[in-house]
């Protein structure tokens, strides 16, 4: 301020939209500008599924989500929405905050184009400028867009790619003797909470050259045990034959097989835990497969002999609109699994 490079100024802006300009009467609002039930029609029309108010409240109210939405005219129906769920992270060894982009919606009748005059572009750029980058609350943005949405966002200069999301399938093994023991837990006791916290405290320093979402007790309880469909998830304490605590994992039944939602364990133990999960799954009735969704940058860490890799056709984006870390810095650095997706 003393050098004159920075200053406080008061500026007055007047909206001068022309009546014949598309969306000139559109009203843009934030998270506190609508009632939950108002979003139902847009959600159902955009995704073709029934709106779940409990899930929305869990994500945006309990989880302190952010959004930009558009109404066709003041007090009118909501015709576009661009949301995000904040996430505490360790960014190359340092605590920081990211936001997962989600619920990007435009009413089908308003999808006339995806250019720089479109509602998609206006809501997206407003959100990125408000929420993601060096000068706002969230250093990074990430998400799991479908290929069409990703291509449009890249073409408009909104996103760049930082990785791919892939599926690793671990077939049954001939070894019937499980090397690890799994015991389902609820995280209700302070003893269990302290144990999980200690494993997380051991895990995150191993990712000092990477980006990893915080998986402490508070997050795990929110993500899985306070989720409106918490019954879908099974959390297990993993111990060695000698009774030593090795890891915590969260599993979900996915089309008759096991999908690994989350793993909390030191980096050097990941392969051992995956092999133990594979043996445990083989011993189950029907011998379901064990599957992991993970960012491609970590394939070498999670591949076991005989495993196969399938493309999910999901690219992990980063913000390319507002000043922030560049894609070259972020490429291949994110450790993301199925549990990092808000709707899984």
């Amino acid at each position: 301020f003393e050098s004159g490079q920075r200053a406080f100024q008061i500026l007055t802006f007047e909206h001068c939209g022309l009546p014949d300009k598309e969306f000139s009467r559109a009203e843009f609002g934030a998270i506190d500008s609508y009632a939950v039930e108002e979003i139902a029609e847009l959600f159902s029309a955009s995704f073709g599924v029934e709106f779940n108010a409990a899930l929305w409240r869990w994500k945006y109210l309990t989880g302190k989500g952010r959004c930009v939405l558009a109404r066709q005219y003041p007090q009118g129906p909501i015709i576009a929405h661009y949301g995000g769920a904040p996430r505490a992270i360790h960014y190359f060894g340092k605590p920081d905050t990211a936001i997962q982009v989600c619920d990007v919606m435009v009413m089908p009748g308003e999808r006339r184009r995806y250019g720089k005059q479109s509602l998609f572009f206006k809501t997206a750029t407003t959100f990125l400028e408000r929420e993601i980058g060096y000068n706002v609350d969230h250093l990074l943005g990430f998400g799991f867009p479908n290929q069409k949405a990703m291509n449009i966002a890249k073409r408009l200069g909104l996103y760049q790619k930082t990785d791919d999301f892939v599926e690793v399938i671990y077939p049954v093994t001939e070894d019937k003797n499980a090397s690890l023991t799994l015991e389902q837990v609820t995280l209700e006791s302070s003893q269990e909470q302290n144990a999980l916290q200690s494993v997380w405290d051991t895990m995150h320093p191993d990712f000092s050259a990477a980006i990893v979402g915080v998986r402490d007790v508070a997050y795990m309880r929110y993500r899985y045990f306070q989720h409106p469909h918490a019954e879908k998830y099974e959390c297990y304490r993993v111990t060695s034959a000698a009774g030593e605590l090795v890891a915590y994992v969260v599993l979900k039944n996915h089309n008759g097989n096991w999908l690994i939602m989350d793993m909390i364990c030191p980096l050097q133990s990941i392969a051992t835990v995956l092999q133990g999960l594979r043996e445990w799954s083989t011993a189950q009735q029907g011998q379901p497969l064990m599957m992991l969704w993970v960012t491609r940058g970590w394939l070498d860490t999670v591949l076991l002999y005989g495993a196969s890799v399938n493309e999910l056709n999901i690219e992990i984006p980063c913000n390319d609109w507002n000043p922030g870390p560049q894609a070259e810095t972020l490429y291949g650095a994110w450790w993301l699994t199925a549990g990092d997706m808000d709707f899984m």
Side-chain angles (χ1 to χ4, degrees), residues 39-40 55 63 96 144 238 252 260 267:
I39 209 76
L55 186 60
D96 219 307
F144 306 86
V238 183
K252 177 184 176 182
I260 301 170
L267 191 58

Side-chain angles (χ1 to χ4, degrees), residues 51-342:
F51 177 68
N52 187 319
L55 186 60
W56 192 270
R57 290 189 178 93
W58 170 80
K59 190 189 310 182
Y60 288 99
L61 300 182
T62 307
K64 297 180 172 53
R66 309 287 183 89
C67 80
V68 171
L69 58 84
R71 301 178 187 271
Q72 193 163 11
Y73 49 84
Q75 306 305 313
I78 299 172
I79 56 175
H81 178 277
Y82 193 105
R87 182 73 188 276
I89 62 171
H90 284 267
Y91 178 73
F92 298 108
K94 297 181 180 179
D96 219 307
T97 308
I99 191 165
Q100 182 197 341
V101 172
C102 47
D103 301 312
V104 178
M105 306 177 283
V106 178
M107 191 66 79
E110 303 298 331
R111 295 177 191 168
R112 302 175 185 175
R113 58 180 179 272
Y114 284 97
K116 294 190 175 182
Q117 295 302 318
S118 66
L119 275 176
F120 169 73
F121 183 80
K122 293 175 186 293
T123 54
T125 53
T126 302
F127 184 92
L128 295 177
E129 290 167 9
R130 287 182 182 179
E131 303 295 348
I132 303 174
Y134 288 134
N135 56 342
V136 287
D137 289 344
H138 310 97
L139 178 66
L140 303 178
F142 70 102
F144 306 86
N146 61 44
Q147 198 62 59
K148 178 182 177 182
M150 183 68 176
N151 291 340
I152 291 170
K154 287 193 293 186
R155 188 175 72 243
L156 292 173
L158 303 176
Y159 301 165
Q160 282 198 51
K161 174 182 174 179
T162 64
D163 213 334
D164 295 283
F165 216 39
V166 296
E167 177 183 69
V168 184
I169 299 179
Y170 304 96
V172 296
T173 175
E174 296 180 359
D175 190 351
K176 306 296 184 181
N177 299 316
S179 57
L180 299 177
T181 300
L182 274 66
E183 181 180 354
Q184 192 170 355
V185 296
T186 62
L187 294 186
E188 290 182 358
S189 72
S190 58
Q191 182 179 2
E192 203 72 63
Q193 293 173 20
N194 291 337
L196 186 146
Q197 187 67 43
S198 69
V199 179
W200 166 245
D201 290 341
T202 304
M203 176 183 179
H204 71 76
D206 291 347
F207 288 80
S208 60
I211 308 168
V212 61
V214 168
R215 287 159 163 80
D216 60 7
V217 172
Y219 170 77
M220 295 295 285
R221 293 182 69 182
Y222 164 73
R223 175 62 182 87
Y224 299 108
F225 294 92
Q226 296 174 7
H227 192 282
H229 301 297
E231 70 280 358
K232 294 182 178 181
Y233 308 117
E234 298 183 9
C235 181
Y236 291 90
R237 182 198 314 120
V238 183
T239 54
S240 69
E244 296 177 346
L245 178 60
V246 178
Y248 282 87
V249 298
V250 178
L251 305 178
K252 177 184 176 182
N253 186 305
H254 183 71
N255 298 326
N257 294 309
W258 288 110
L259 177 62
I260 301 170
M261 302 296 292
D262 251 315
M263 299 175 59
I264 306 176
C265 65
L267 191 58
Q268 64 183 10
S269 300
I270 287 178
T272 300
V273 172
L274 288 170
Q275 179 61 29
L277 289 174
R278 179 181 179 181
E279 294 165 356
W280 175 84
S281 181
T282 299
Q284 304 299 302
Q285 184 176 3
Q287 295 187 325
L289 299 176
M290 189 65 65
M291 303 185 302
L292 174 69
W293 295 358
V294 69
T295 29
R296 191 189 302 278
W298 296 91
L299 263 182
D300 288 346
T301 302
V302 303
L303 276 181
L304 301 179
Y305 178 78
S308 59
V309 180
N310 295 326
E311 299 295 330
L312 293 173
N313 296 316
I314 297 175
E315 295 180 354
I316 308 301
C318 69
N319 155 55
D320 194 36
W321 181 261
N322 210 32
Q326 297 298 299
E328 293 80 3
T329 301
L330 308 176
Y331 202 91
W334 269 109
W335 166 268
L336 296 170
T337 61
D340 292 299
M341 303 174 80
D342 67 288

